[in-house]
Amino acid sequence: MSETTGVLSARVTGTVRIVGAGLLGSSIGHALMAQGVDVALDDTSPAQLRLAVDYGAGRPARADDDPVLVVVAVPPDVTADVIERELARFPRAVVTDVASVKLEPLLALRERGVDLRRYIGSHPLAGRERGGAIAARADIFIGRPWVVCRDGETSASDLAIVEGLALDLGATPIEMSPEEHDRAVALVSHVPQLVASLLAGRFIDAPDGSLRLAGQGVRDTTRIAASAPELWVQILGANSAPVVDVLDALAADLSAVADALRAPEAPGARRAVADTIRRGNDGVERLPGKHGQNRRFETIVVMVDDTPGQLGRLFGELGELGVNVEDLRLEHSPGAQFGLAEISVVPSAVRGAVEGLEARGWRIASVND
Protein backbone atom coordinates (compact mmCIF):
# COMPACT_ATOMS: atom_id res chain seq x y z
CA MET A 1 0.00 0.00 0.00
CA SER A 2 1.28 3.43 -0.88
CA GLU A 3 1.92 5.56 2.24
CA THR A 4 0.99 8.71 0.36
CA THR A 5 -2.17 7.57 -1.38
CA GLY A 6 -3.38 4.70 0.79
CA VAL A 7 -4.07 2.73 -2.42
CA LEU A 8 -3.07 -0.92 -2.72
CA SER A 9 -0.26 -1.54 -5.22
CA ALA A 10 -1.46 -3.70 -8.09
CA ARG A 11 0.65 -6.39 -9.75
CA VAL A 12 -0.81 -5.42 -13.12
CA THR A 13 0.52 -2.02 -14.17
CA GLY A 14 -0.48 0.05 -17.16
CA THR A 15 -3.89 0.31 -18.77
CA VAL A 16 -6.29 -2.62 -18.54
CA ARG A 17 -8.94 -2.64 -21.25
CA ILE A 18 -12.18 -4.42 -20.38
CA VAL A 19 -14.53 -5.32 -23.22
CA GLY A 20 -17.98 -5.94 -21.80
CA ALA A 21 -19.28 -3.79 -18.95
CA GLY A 22 -21.65 -6.34 -17.44
CA LEU A 23 -21.38 -8.01 -14.05
CA LEU A 24 -17.93 -9.58 -14.40
CA GLY A 25 -16.36 -6.86 -16.52
CA SER A 26 -17.57 -4.07 -14.25
CA SER A 27 -16.63 -6.01 -11.10
CA ILE A 28 -13.09 -6.44 -12.42
CA GLY A 29 -13.05 -2.74 -13.21
CA HIS A 30 -14.14 -1.75 -9.70
CA ALA A 31 -11.50 -3.96 -8.09
CA LEU A 32 -8.70 -2.60 -10.30
CA MET A 33 -9.80 1.01 -9.94
CA ALA A 34 -9.60 0.61 -6.16
CA GLN A 35 -5.90 -0.22 -6.64
CA GLY A 36 -5.16 2.77 -8.83
CA VAL A 37 -5.14 0.91 -12.15
CA ASP A 38 -6.21 2.78 -15.29
CA VAL A 39 -9.28 0.87 -16.52
CA ALA A 40 -10.66 1.51 -20.00
CA LEU A 41 -14.17 0.16 -20.55
CA ASP A 42 -15.80 -0.73 -23.86
CA ASP A 43 -19.22 -2.18 -24.57
CA THR A 44 -21.49 -2.48 -27.58
CA SER A 45 -24.29 -0.98 -25.49
CA PRO A 46 -23.73 2.77 -24.91
CA ALA A 47 -26.24 2.72 -22.05
CA GLN A 48 -24.47 -0.17 -20.30
CA LEU A 49 -21.12 1.54 -20.77
CA ARG A 50 -22.35 4.85 -19.33
CA LEU A 51 -23.87 3.06 -16.37
CA ALA A 52 -20.65 1.20 -15.60
CA VAL A 53 -18.65 4.44 -15.85
CA ASP A 54 -21.13 6.28 -13.63
CA TYR A 55 -20.77 3.58 -10.99
CA GLY A 56 -16.98 3.93 -11.06
CA ALA A 57 -15.91 0.74 -12.86
CA GLY A 58 -13.55 2.66 -15.16
CA ARG A 59 -13.45 5.30 -17.88
CA PRO A 60 -14.65 5.08 -21.47
CA ALA A 61 -12.07 3.56 -23.80
CA ARG A 62 -10.19 5.92 -26.14
CA ALA A 63 -8.82 5.37 -29.62
CA ASP A 64 -5.24 6.00 -28.42
CA ASP A 65 -5.33 3.48 -25.56
CA ASP A 66 -2.34 1.11 -25.46
CA PRO A 67 -3.34 -1.52 -22.91
CA VAL A 68 -1.01 -4.05 -21.36
CA LEU A 69 -3.94 -6.39 -20.80
CA VAL A 70 -7.31 -6.83 -22.50
CA VAL A 71 -10.05 -8.65 -20.58
CA VAL A 72 -12.88 -9.95 -22.76
CA ALA A 73 -16.06 -10.22 -20.69
CA VAL A 74 -18.77 -10.76 -23.29
CA PRO A 75 -21.41 -13.48 -23.81
CA PRO A 76 -20.07 -16.89 -24.88
CA ASP A 77 -21.52 -16.75 -28.40
CA VAL A 78 -19.33 -13.76 -29.33
CA THR A 79 -16.28 -14.47 -27.16
CA ALA A 80 -14.14 -15.89 -29.96
CA ASP A 81 -14.99 -13.00 -32.30
CA VAL A 82 -14.03 -10.38 -29.73
CA ILE A 83 -10.80 -12.17 -28.77
CA GLU A 84 -9.77 -12.27 -32.44
CA ARG A 85 -10.56 -8.58 -32.86
CA GLU A 86 -8.71 -7.50 -29.73
CA LEU A 87 -5.59 -9.52 -30.60
CA ALA A 88 -5.44 -7.80 -33.97
CA ARG A 89 -6.20 -4.32 -32.63
CA PHE A 90 -3.68 -4.37 -29.77
CA PRO A 91 -0.57 -6.27 -30.93
CA ARG A 92 1.37 -5.55 -27.71
CA ALA A 93 -1.35 -6.59 -25.25
CA VAL A 94 -2.01 -9.89 -23.57
CA VAL A 95 -5.63 -10.91 -24.12
CA THR A 96 -7.65 -13.02 -21.72
CA ASP A 97 -11.34 -13.78 -21.43
CA VAL A 98 -13.57 -14.69 -18.51
CA ALA A 99 -16.08 -16.90 -20.33
CA SER A 100 -17.34 -19.90 -18.38
CA VAL A 101 -16.52 -22.27 -21.25
CA LYS A 102 -12.93 -22.49 -22.44
CA LEU A 103 -12.63 -25.15 -25.13
CA GLU A 104 -15.19 -23.96 -27.70
CA PRO A 105 -13.77 -20.45 -28.26
CA LEU A 106 -10.24 -21.84 -28.34
CA LEU A 107 -11.12 -24.38 -31.05
CA ALA A 108 -12.97 -21.71 -33.05
CA LEU A 109 -9.93 -19.43 -32.97
CA ARG A 110 -7.58 -22.25 -33.97
CA GLU A 111 -9.80 -23.14 -36.93
CA ARG A 112 -9.55 -19.52 -38.11
CA GLY A 113 -5.76 -19.66 -37.92
CA VAL A 114 -5.52 -16.89 -35.32
CA ASP A 115 -2.10 -16.42 -33.69
CA LEU A 116 -2.88 -17.27 -30.06
CA ARG A 117 0.52 -16.76 -28.47
CA ARG A 118 -0.75 -13.64 -26.61
CA TYR A 119 -4.08 -15.18 -25.69
CA ILE A 120 -4.59 -16.93 -22.34
CA GLY A 121 -8.07 -18.16 -21.53
CA SER A 122 -9.21 -17.75 -17.94
CA HIS A 123 -12.35 -18.04 -15.84
CA PRO A 124 -13.12 -16.64 -12.39
CA LEU A 125 -15.51 -18.94 -10.53
CA ALA A 126 -17.51 -16.02 -9.19
CA GLY A 127 -20.75 -14.30 -9.96
CA ARG A 128 -24.19 -13.33 -8.74
CA GLU A 129 -27.74 -14.23 -9.73
CA ARG A 130 -28.26 -10.66 -10.92
CA GLY A 131 -26.35 -9.32 -13.90
CA GLY A 132 -25.29 -6.00 -15.38
CA ALA A 133 -23.13 -3.12 -14.24
CA ILE A 134 -25.56 -2.17 -11.50
CA ALA A 135 -24.97 -5.52 -9.74
CA ALA A 136 -21.16 -5.34 -10.01
CA ARG A 137 -19.05 -5.60 -6.86
CA ALA A 138 -15.31 -5.40 -6.37
CA ASP A 139 -15.26 -8.18 -3.76
CA ILE A 140 -16.96 -11.04 -5.63
CA PHE A 141 -13.60 -12.58 -6.59
CA ILE A 142 -12.08 -12.65 -3.11
CA GLY A 143 -11.16 -16.18 -2.12
CA ARG A 144 -12.61 -17.65 -5.33
CA PRO A 145 -10.73 -19.90 -7.80
CA TRP A 146 -9.61 -18.28 -11.05
CA VAL A 147 -8.77 -20.89 -13.69
CA VAL A 148 -5.95 -20.01 -16.08
CA CYS A 149 -5.52 -22.08 -19.25
CA ARG A 150 -1.95 -21.85 -20.50
CA ASP A 151 -0.31 -23.90 -23.23
CA GLY A 152 3.18 -24.63 -24.48
CA GLU A 153 3.41 -21.30 -26.34
CA THR A 154 2.46 -19.17 -23.32
CA SER A 155 5.37 -17.03 -22.19
CA ALA A 156 6.16 -16.70 -18.49
CA SER A 157 5.74 -12.93 -18.66
CA ASP A 158 2.29 -13.14 -20.26
CA LEU A 159 1.20 -15.78 -17.77
CA ALA A 160 2.36 -13.55 -14.93
CA ILE A 161 0.09 -10.74 -16.16
CA VAL A 162 -3.05 -12.89 -16.15
CA GLU A 163 -2.23 -14.58 -12.86
CA GLY A 164 -1.36 -11.16 -11.46
CA LEU A 165 -4.85 -9.96 -12.41
CA ALA A 166 -6.40 -12.84 -10.48
CA LEU A 167 -4.21 -12.14 -7.46
CA ASP A 168 -4.95 -8.41 -7.58
CA LEU A 169 -8.65 -9.25 -7.35
CA GLY A 170 -8.12 -11.53 -4.36
CA ALA A 171 -8.72 -14.74 -6.31
CA THR A 172 -6.64 -17.93 -6.32
CA PRO A 173 -5.13 -18.79 -9.74
CA ILE A 174 -5.44 -22.47 -10.71
CA GLU A 175 -3.89 -23.81 -13.91
CA MET A 176 -6.01 -26.22 -15.96
CA SER A 177 -6.32 -27.30 -19.55
CA PRO A 178 -9.47 -26.12 -21.37
CA GLU A 179 -10.75 -29.70 -21.43
CA GLU A 180 -10.20 -30.15 -17.68
CA HIS A 181 -11.89 -26.84 -16.99
CA ASP A 182 -14.99 -27.60 -19.04
CA ARG A 183 -15.45 -31.02 -17.44
CA ALA A 184 -15.01 -29.50 -13.99
CA VAL A 185 -17.49 -26.66 -14.43
CA ALA A 186 -20.02 -29.05 -15.96
CA LEU A 187 -20.02 -30.90 -12.64
CA VAL A 188 -19.76 -28.07 -10.12
CA SER A 189 -21.53 -25.22 -11.94
CA HIS A 190 -23.50 -26.04 -15.05
CA VAL A 191 -25.38 -29.15 -13.89
CA PRO A 192 -26.15 -27.59 -10.47
CA GLN A 193 -27.76 -24.71 -12.37
CA LEU A 194 -29.97 -27.13 -14.28
CA VAL A 195 -30.85 -29.12 -11.16
CA ALA A 196 -31.79 -25.94 -9.27
CA SER A 197 -33.88 -24.72 -12.21
CA LEU A 198 -35.66 -28.05 -12.63
CA LEU A 199 -36.50 -28.25 -8.93
CA ALA A 200 -37.67 -24.63 -8.77
CA GLY A 201 -39.78 -25.23 -11.83
CA ARG A 202 -41.81 -27.74 -9.81
CA PHE A 203 -42.95 -24.84 -7.60
CA ILE A 204 -44.96 -23.23 -10.40
CA ASP A 205 -47.99 -25.49 -9.99
CA ALA A 206 -47.50 -26.21 -6.29
CA PRO A 207 -50.26 -25.15 -3.85
CA ASP A 208 -49.54 -21.96 -1.91
CA GLY A 209 -49.84 -23.92 1.31
CA SER A 210 -46.97 -26.17 0.27
CA LEU A 211 -44.67 -23.27 -0.54
CA ARG A 212 -45.38 -21.66 2.84
CA LEU A 213 -43.58 -24.62 4.38
CA ALA A 214 -40.36 -23.84 2.47
CA GLY A 215 -37.33 -23.50 4.73
CA GLN A 216 -33.71 -22.59 4.23
CA GLY A 217 -32.83 -25.96 2.73
CA VAL A 218 -34.99 -25.53 -0.35
CA ARG A 219 -33.97 -21.88 -0.65
CA ASP A 220 -30.31 -22.89 -0.63
CA THR A 221 -30.94 -25.63 -3.16
CA THR A 222 -32.76 -23.34 -5.61
CA ARG A 223 -30.95 -20.02 -5.03
CA ILE A 224 -29.20 -20.06 -8.41
CA ALA A 225 -32.46 -20.81 -10.23
CA ALA A 226 -32.93 -17.03 -10.44
CA SER A 227 -30.17 -16.82 -13.08
CA ALA A 228 -30.68 -15.32 -16.55
CA PRO A 229 -32.02 -17.86 -19.10
CA GLU A 230 -30.46 -16.06 -22.09
CA LEU A 231 -26.92 -16.44 -20.73
CA TRP A 232 -27.38 -20.03 -19.63
CA VAL A 233 -28.68 -21.14 -23.01
CA GLN A 234 -25.32 -20.04 -24.42
CA ILE A 235 -23.22 -21.55 -21.62
CA LEU A 236 -24.94 -24.93 -21.68
CA GLY A 237 -24.90 -25.08 -25.47
CA ALA A 238 -21.17 -24.35 -25.55
CA ASN A 239 -20.38 -27.03 -22.96
CA SER A 240 -23.08 -29.53 -23.90
CA ALA A 241 -21.00 -32.74 -24.10
CA PRO A 242 -19.55 -32.64 -20.55
CA VAL A 243 -22.91 -31.47 -19.18
CA VAL A 244 -24.73 -34.36 -20.86
CA ASP A 245 -22.24 -36.84 -19.38
CA VAL A 246 -23.03 -35.63 -15.85
CA LEU A 247 -26.76 -35.42 -16.54
CA ASP A 248 -26.85 -39.01 -17.84
CA ALA A 249 -25.09 -40.27 -14.71
CA LEU A 250 -27.38 -38.20 -12.50
CA ALA A 251 -30.45 -39.48 -14.34
CA ALA A 252 -29.33 -43.05 -13.68
CA ASP A 253 -28.92 -42.27 -9.98
CA LEU A 254 -32.38 -40.68 -9.82
CA SER A 255 -33.92 -43.64 -11.59
CA ALA A 256 -32.33 -46.06 -9.11
CA VAL A 257 -33.66 -44.11 -6.12
CA ALA A 258 -37.12 -43.86 -7.68
CA ASP A 259 -37.15 -47.63 -8.27
CA ALA A 260 -36.21 -48.24 -4.62
CA LEU A 261 -38.96 -45.95 -3.38
CA ARG A 262 -41.60 -47.55 -5.60
CA ALA A 263 -41.24 -50.62 -3.42
CA PRO A 264 -39.70 -49.40 -0.13
CA GLU A 265 -40.39 -52.74 1.61
CA ALA A 266 -38.57 -54.76 -1.03
CA PRO A 267 -35.22 -56.34 -0.06
CA GLY A 268 -32.40 -53.88 -0.56
CA ALA A 269 -34.65 -50.84 -1.08
CA ARG A 270 -33.83 -49.17 2.22
CA ARG A 271 -30.14 -49.82 1.71
CA ALA A 272 -30.29 -48.21 -1.74
CA VAL A 273 -31.81 -45.06 -0.25
CA ALA A 274 -29.38 -45.01 2.67
CA ASP A 275 -26.41 -45.47 0.31
CA THR A 276 -27.64 -42.53 -1.76
CA ILE A 277 -27.72 -40.26 1.30
CA ARG A 278 -24.37 -41.60 2.50
CA ARG A 279 -22.71 -40.94 -0.86
CA GLY A 280 -24.00 -37.40 -0.59
CA ASN A 281 -22.39 -37.13 2.84
CA ASP A 282 -19.09 -38.36 1.42
CA GLY A 283 -19.29 -35.98 -1.53
CA VAL A 284 -19.97 -32.94 0.63
CA GLU A 285 -16.95 -33.84 2.77
CA ARG A 286 -14.76 -33.45 -0.31
CA LEU A 287 -15.83 -29.86 -0.95
CA PRO A 288 -13.24 -27.30 0.18
CA GLY A 289 -14.25 -25.28 3.20
CA LYS A 290 -13.28 -21.78 4.26
CA HIS A 291 -10.21 -20.42 2.40
CA GLY A 292 -10.15 -23.61 0.31
CA GLN A 293 -9.29 -25.77 3.31
CA ASN A 294 -10.81 -29.18 3.99
CA ARG A 295 -11.31 -28.15 7.59
CA ARG A 296 -14.75 -28.90 9.02
CA PHE A 297 -16.71 -26.91 11.56
CA GLU A 298 -19.56 -27.49 13.95
CA THR A 299 -22.68 -25.38 13.92
CA ILE A 300 -24.56 -23.68 16.71
CA VAL A 301 -28.10 -22.57 15.88
CA VAL A 302 -29.10 -19.50 17.89
CA MET A 303 -32.60 -18.03 18.06
CA VAL A 304 -32.40 -14.30 17.28
CA ASP A 305 -35.31 -11.93 17.90
CA ASP A 306 -36.36 -10.06 14.77
CA THR A 307 -35.54 -6.62 16.18
CA PRO A 308 -32.85 -4.10 15.22
CA GLY A 309 -29.36 -4.69 16.57
CA GLN A 310 -29.80 -8.30 17.72
CA LEU A 311 -27.46 -9.85 15.15
CA GLY A 312 -24.81 -7.24 15.91
CA ARG A 313 -25.15 -7.97 19.63
CA LEU A 314 -24.74 -11.69 18.97
CA PHE A 315 -21.54 -11.12 17.01
CA GLY A 316 -20.23 -8.73 19.66
CA GLU A 317 -20.80 -11.20 22.48
CA LEU A 318 -19.23 -14.03 20.51
CA GLY A 319 -16.21 -11.78 20.09
CA GLU A 320 -16.12 -11.16 23.84
CA LEU A 321 -16.14 -14.94 24.32
CA GLY A 322 -13.17 -15.27 21.98
CA VAL A 323 -15.18 -17.24 19.41
CA ASN A 324 -14.44 -16.68 15.72
CA VAL A 325 -17.45 -17.04 13.41
CA GLU A 326 -16.21 -19.16 10.49
CA ASP A 327 -19.49 -18.97 8.57
CA LEU A 328 -23.05 -17.76 9.05
CA ARG A 329 -26.43 -18.68 7.58
CA LEU A 330 -29.71 -17.00 8.49
CA GLU A 331 -33.16 -18.55 8.28
CA HIS A 332 -36.43 -16.77 8.94
CA SER A 333 -39.43 -18.81 9.99
CA PRO A 334 -42.65 -17.72 8.22
CA GLY A 335 -44.92 -15.84 10.63
CA ALA A 336 -42.45 -16.01 13.52
CA GLN A 337 -40.89 -12.96 15.16
CA PHE A 338 -37.44 -14.50 15.32
CA GLY A 339 -34.82 -15.96 13.03
CA LEU A 340 -32.32 -18.77 13.31
CA ALA A 341 -28.64 -17.90 13.05
CA GLU A 342 -26.63 -20.98 12.11
CA ILE A 343 -23.08 -20.18 13.19
CA SER A 344 -20.11 -22.34 12.17
CA VAL A 345 -17.22 -22.53 14.65
CA VAL A 346 -14.21 -24.77 15.22
CA PRO A 347 -15.14 -27.83 17.31
CA SER A 348 -13.00 -26.72 20.24
CA ALA A 349 -15.04 -23.50 20.56
CA VAL A 350 -18.50 -25.10 20.75
CA ARG A 351 -18.76 -25.70 24.48
CA GLY A 352 -17.49 -22.27 25.49
CA ALA A 353 -19.71 -20.56 22.93
CA VAL A 354 -22.88 -22.39 23.99
CA GLU A 355 -22.28 -21.90 27.71
CA GLY A 356 -21.30 -18.26 27.26
CA LEU A 357 -24.27 -17.41 25.04
CA GLU A 358 -26.76 -19.15 27.32
CA ALA A 359 -25.33 -17.24 30.30
CA ARG A 360 -26.03 -14.03 28.38
CA GLY A 361 -29.65 -14.99 27.73
CA TRP A 362 -29.42 -16.37 24.21
CA ARG A 363 -31.59 -19.34 23.28
CA ILE A 364 -29.71 -22.19 21.59
CA ALA A 365 -31.94 -24.13 19.20
CA SER A 366 -29.46 -26.89 18.45
CA VAL A 367 -25.81 -27.86 18.15
CA ASN A 368 -24.80 -29.95 15.12
CA ASP A 369 -21.60 -31.58 13.99
Side-chain angles (χ1 to χ4, degrees), residues 196 215-224 329-330 342:
Q216 195 61 37
V218 72
R219 296 180 191 279
D220 288 346
T221 306
T222 58
R223 176 181 58 84
I224 58 175
R329 188 175 68 171
L330 292 175
E342 184 177 299

Side-chain angles (χ1 to χ4, degrees), residues 300 317-318 321-323 345-360:
I300 304 169
E317 294 187 358
L318 283 168
L321 293 168
V323 176
V345 300
V346 294
S348 60
V350 171
R351 182 175 178 180
V354 170
E355 292 178 352
L357 289 174
E358 287 181 334
R360 287 164 168 77

Side-chain angles (χ1 to χ4, degrees), residues 277-310:
I277 303 300
R278 187 178 295 112
R279 281 179 57 81
N281 296 161
D282 295 341
V284 167
E285 284 297 315
R286 294 200 62 203
L287 292 176
K290 184 180 178 183
H291 305 312
Q293 301 172 353
N294 287 322
R295 187 181 187 185
R296 296 300 159 194
F297 305 109
E298 294 190 10
T299 57
I300 304 169
V301 181
V302 184
M303 298 175 68
V304 181
D305 290 337
D306 192 10
T307 55
Q310 291 303 300

Side-chain angles (χ1 to χ4, degrees), residues 28-256:
I28 293 170
H30 283 295
L32 292 176
M33 288 283 287
Q35 299 181 57
V37 175
D38 178 37
V39 176
L41 297 175
D42 195 5
D43 197 286
T44 55
S45 168
Q48 180 85 322
L49 177 60
R50 286 194 296 268
L51 188 61
V53 171
D54 286 349
Y55 272 97
R59 61 168 175 80
R62 298 190 297 260
D64 61 349
D65 283 334
D66 186 18
V68 65
L69 174 66
V70 176
V71 180
V72 175
V74 298
D77 61 346
V78 294
T79 294
D81 295 337
V82 177
I83 291 170
E84 181 179 11
R85 185 192 72 198
E86 297 297 311
L87 284 168
R89 183 175 177 183
F90 300 102
R92 298 197 298 175
V94 175
V95 177
T96 190
D97 73 291
V98 294
S100 59
V101 177
K102 300 270 59 95
L103 186 58
E104 185 180 73
L106 177 64
L107 293 178
L109 291 164
R110 285 177 176 170
E111 289 175 359
R112 300 174 193 178
V114 177
D115 184 349
L116 298 176
R117 284 175 294 180
R118 291 181 292 110
Y119 165 67
I120 303 173
S122 71
H123 178 213
L125 276 295
R128 305 182 69 189
E129 292 76 50
R130 294 180 296 159
I134 196 170
R137 287 173 41 177
D139 62 355
I140 66 172
F141 307 104
I142 295 175
R144 302 299 302 155
W146 190 304
V147 176
V148 179
C149 299
R150 67 179 301 182
D151 60 29
E153 294 185 328
T154 302
S155 71
S157 58
D158 289 353
L159 180 65
I161 291 174
V162 176
E163 291 189 339
L165 171 69
L167 292 169
D168 284 343
L169 272 56
T172 302
I174 298 175
E175 289 191 18
M176 282 182 153
S177 71
E179 294 85 353
E180 290 172 331
H181 168 272
D182 287 3
R183 287 194 299 270
V185 294
L187 177 63
V188 302
S189 176
H190 300 170
V191 168
Q193 172 65 54
L194 282 171
V195 171
S197 297
L198 288 167
L199 178 57
R202 306 307 303 174
F203 302 160
I204 295 173
D205 298 322
D208 291 343
S210 297
L211 297 181
R212 280 197 292 268
L213 302 180
Q216 195 61 37
V218 72
R219 296 180 191 279
D220 288 346
T221 306
T222 58
R223 176 181 58 84
I224 58 175
S227 300
E230 299 83 3
L231 176 61
W232 276 100
V233 166
Q234 295 184 36
I235 292 172
L236 293 168
N239 200 31
S240 58
V243 168
V244 167
D245 288 342
V246 180
L247 286 175
D248 284 343
L250 184 61
D253 292 340
L254 289 170
S255 179

